[in-house]
Each structure stands twice: as C-alpha cells, then as structure tokens.
C-alpha cells in the first residue's frame, strides 16, 4: 500500500503476512541476522534525520521519522534485547530525543530512557550516553520532574567533561541552567549560561551562540531588564535566520514577540508571534504552537480583546494537557483564569486558578507563584477583603525579590490600580503596617487563603 507522509512511496503489509514472514525466517534460522540489520538500519536512519532536524530540512526529517515511528520503537526493543547493545540503545534514543520533543512524545521518550538506564551494564562514558542522558533530563524537566532532570543532566555533564567534549559540555551547562531557570533561580542559571556562551564562541558554534543568547535574554526578562532581554533575543534571531534553523527561528520569534509586547511595541509583537505560530504549525511542533498561543493570548488580553485571549489560552491549555507538560498546564490555566475573571466568569476561573496553584507548588516553582498570588490579591480586593488582598500582593513581591525577578509587565496596571485603591481604603499608616506584615507572611497560609477563596 502506498503512502506519501515522508514524501516517498512506502510499503505496508498486513499483520498476518508479517507473522508468516517471521515464521519463515525462524525456519531458515535467518531471524537474528534480519533483526540485526533492521536494528542497525534504524539507528543509522535516526542519526541521519536528527542531523537534519537542526537545519532547513527539518520538516522532511520530521515526516521521515513519523512515518517510521513504529519501526523505531521496535529498533529500541532490539537494542535492549542485545546484551552488547547498550551503546546502540543510547545512540538510537539520543538521536530520537529532538523528534520526541518537537512532536510531543515526551512520556514515550522518558519511558524509553528509563528502560535503557535500567538495562545498563555499567557507567558508560561515551558521547552517545551523554547525549541521551541530556535528552532524558530535558524531557524530565519539561514534565516537571526536576529531581530526575538534575540527575540525568549532571551525569551527562560529568561524562562530557571526562571525554573532553567541549561542545557537549556547553550543551550540558545550558540544559542544567534551564532547570535552575524553571525553578526560579535566575542568578545561578545566568552563571551557567554565560559559561556556555563563552565555550560556544570559542568553538565557533553559531547555533550554540544563538541558543545561549536566547537563554540569557530569558534570564534578563526574569530579572526585569526588558530592553536588554529584547536586544539579546533579536541578536539570537539574526543568527538563526542566517543559518536557516527553522525551530530556532520560531523560538526566537516567540520570545521577541513576547518582549515586544512587554515594552509596548504591539504591532511588532503581533508580527513576530504570528510568524512564529505559522512556522510551528507547519513543522507540527505542538508544544511550540501552545507556547506561541500563550503569548498571543497575553497580547490579546493586554489589548482588551478578551474573547480572542480566551480562545488562544484555551487551545494552548488543551495541547499542554495532551502533552503532559505540567508547568505549561499551570501557566495556561493561570492565564485563562485571569481572562475569565475579567469576563466575570468566576465559577469557570476558580478550578483553573486552583489547578495552577497546586501544580506550581508541587513543582517547587516559587518563581511562578507571584502571578497567581497577584490574581488572588485582585480577587480579595474586589470582594472587600482588603487586608488579605494586600498580604497576597506583599508575598508576591517578596517572592519576586527572593528570586531576583522584576515585576511582571503583563497585568501590571491592574495590580497598581488595586494597590492604590488599597492605600486609599486602608489609609497610609495601616497600608504600610499590613504591607510589612505581609512581607513576613507564611506562603502556605496565603496559599490556603487562596484555596479557600476558590471553593464554591
């Protein structure tokens, strides 16, 4: 039967014919040789397509890998069945890491890496093992398993230092810094990103330089330096356009769009984000589409187009749920809840706020909690619980300071308006007293207030 998913004709056989062929191979004692050739072919195919995923051939490479998805699964099984196949298993799974990431097969990828780790005969110090452990750590981070992510990424870094792989060391430093960034530790992340950037420049790796600039731009954003963040992102985008890295271009466009919105350049923001969304839809990058929708939703919310914001956040949330990205779920749920509150649909917003609060706390992501606490503060203000409102806003401010974060540019006007109204209603002296008390308030207690407020 013909097919054109990968752009070339393909042949598929019925399962009954496949079973008959296996029996005939067994009778001729040729099964082992055929399995070995099958395994080796798909290891080579995965490695070749992984290289294409970094350049202008990304779309075709994704189609080739998708067309052979089941065959690649079987090849992993054959690697694991071979006592001497550990390095082949690392090579194959590591080569599939980027494909699993782009196409959203995160749980499948993590399960494969876990099985390979469990089957290891010893501690391999090969580039293949380091690469695979890097992807294993990245997928664990995406699903909020920071402990496993840190273990895998630190081992990957150790191996790469041992074999003196400077390019690999730079990659591992970036990956470890990403974990720290997602845990709300931008200062520690910055040091690792800067070390990685220096190595990438030494090696002349332009794609690596662009990635490090992208990451440093995100840290600058977290620290509140929006114009520096935008400068770094634009520099990275220029490099990625020059080398034809479609996935990288989309990532930079997403970040430039978000930052342009934050500094008030709405037309620039819309153009960058819509270009990003088009590239990611064409690539089939489901996580990337959800991330772009999140930023388009924020832009629509900032422009008071609440219906469009709701549509974008809801579509992104659905995709994050399907991917199992807990942090993405919490972020999108929080954003959607903010819009629903503005639309006076509190009953719809309550479960989303509660879900976001629960996930961020379970992940230990204290850096993302201020955005939810701000919403709680606004809600308490609107229901005349003025002192609780101010305490929530104070705890949010404290958490931002603890993590070196600047004030969130989105929804800032609503927070400022609530603060001024609270100062007026409480009086300057009581306002200052409650604010100081709030800065010392226990986070768990404030979170419980929020949970209580969300109950019907």
């Amino acid at each position: 039967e013909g097919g054109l998913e990968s752009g070339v004709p393909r042949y598929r056989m019925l399962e009954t014919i496949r079973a008959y062929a296996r029996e005939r191979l067994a009778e001729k004692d040729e099964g082992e040789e055929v399995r070995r050739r099958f395994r080796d072919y798909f290891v080579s195919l995965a490695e070749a397509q992984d290289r294409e995923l970094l350049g202008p051939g990304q779309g075709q490479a994704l189609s080739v890998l998708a067309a052979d998805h089941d065959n690649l699964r079987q090849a992993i099984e054959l690697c694991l069945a071979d006592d001497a196949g550990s390095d082949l298993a690392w090579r194959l799974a590591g080569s599939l890491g980027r494909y699993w990431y782009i196409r959203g097969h995160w749980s499948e990828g993590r399960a494969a890496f876990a099985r390979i780790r469990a089957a290891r005969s010893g501690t391999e110090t090969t580039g293949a093992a380091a690469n695979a452990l890097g992807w294993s750590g990245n997928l664990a981070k995406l699903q909020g398993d920071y402990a496993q992510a840190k273990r895998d990424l630190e081992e990957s870094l150790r191996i790469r230092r041992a074999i003196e792989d400077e390019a690999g060391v730079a990659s591992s430093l970036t990956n470890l810094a990403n974990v720290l960034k997602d845990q709300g530790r931008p200062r520690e992340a910055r040091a690792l990103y800067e070390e990685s950037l220096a190595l990438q420049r030494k090696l002349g790796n332009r794609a690596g330089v662009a990635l490090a600039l992208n990451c440093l731009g995100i840290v600058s954003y977290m620290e509140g330096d929006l114009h520096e963040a935008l400068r770094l992102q634009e520099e990275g985008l220029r490099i990625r356009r020059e080398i034809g890295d479609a996935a990288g271009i989309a990532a930079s466009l997403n970040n430039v769009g978000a930052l342009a919105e934050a500094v008030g350049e709405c037309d620039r923001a819309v153009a960058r984000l819509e270009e990003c969304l088009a590239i990611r839809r064409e690539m089939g990058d489901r996580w990337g589409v959800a991330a772009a929708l999140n930023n388009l939703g924020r832009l629509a919310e900032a422009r008071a187009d609440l219906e469009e914001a709701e549509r974008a956040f809801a579509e992104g949330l659905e995709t994050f749920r399907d991917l199992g990205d807990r942090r993405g779920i919490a972020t999108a749920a929080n954003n959607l809840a903010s819009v629903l509150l503005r639309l006076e649909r509190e009953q719809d917003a309550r479960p989303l706020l509660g879900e976001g609060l629960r996930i961020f706390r379970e992940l230990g992501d204290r850096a993302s909690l201020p955005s939810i606490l701000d919403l709680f503060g606004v809600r308490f203000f609107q229901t005349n619980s003025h002192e609780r409102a101010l305490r929530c806003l104070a705890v949010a401010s404290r958490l931002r300071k603890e993590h070196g974060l600047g004030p969130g540019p989105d929804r800032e006007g609503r927070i400022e308006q609530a603060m001024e109204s609270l100062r007026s209603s409480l009086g300057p002296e009581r306002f200052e007293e409650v604010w100081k008390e709030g800065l010392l308030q226990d986070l768990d207690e404030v979170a419980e207030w929020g949970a209580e407020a969300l109950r019907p």
Side-chain angles (χ1 to χ4, degrees), residues 35-97:
R35 283 190 289 272
R36 182 189 64 77
R37 291 169 60 188
F38 178 96
R39 177 200 68 191
D40 292 350
Y41 171 81
F42 282 105
V43 170
S44 297
L45 179 140
E47 290 177 330
Q49 299 307 316
D50 184 40
R51 290 190 290 271
E52 292 298 315
L53 288 175
L54 289 171
Q58 286 168 328
Q60 175 68 12
L62 287 169
S63 294
V64 169
L65 292 169
D68 276 310
H69 195 117
D70 289 339
N71 287 328
L72 291 161
R73 284 177 180 147
Q74 183 61 32
I76 290 175
E77 296 301 317
L78 293 174
C79 289
L80 289 170
D82 184 349
D83 291 340
S86 177
D87 196 55
L88 278 177
W90 285 128
R91 282 172 56 189
L92 178 54
S95 296
L96 291 173

Side-chain angles (χ1 to χ4, degrees), residues 101 106 137-147 149-150 153 173-190 192-193 214-223 255 287 291 320 324-331 356 359-371 399 403 405:
Y101 159 67
W106 299 354
N138 286 339
L139 294 179
K141 177 191 78 70
L142 287 166
Q143 291 194 326
D145 189 351
Y146 294 125
K150 191 168 183 289
L153 294 173
L173 287 167
T174 297
N175 290 335
L176 268 174
N178 288 339
V179 174
L180 295 172
K181 171 180 65 64
D182 279 7
Q183 289 183 305
R185 297 155 65 183
R187 292 192 187 96
E188 297 168 71
R190 176 181 287 282
L192 296 185
Y193 286 140
N214 173 78
C215 294
L216 284 167
I218 294 172
V219 169
S220 293
Y221 167 77
M222 293 174 72
E223 294 173 337
N255 293 339
W287 184 91
F320 282 133
D325 178 3
R326 298 176 70 208
R327 191 168 186 271
I329 291 168
T331 300
I359 292 174
F360 281 139
R361 294 185 75 199
E362 288 174 356
L363 295 180
D365 186 356
R366 290 165 62 91
S368 294
L369 285 173
S371 62
L399 289 175
H403 297 286
L405 305 175

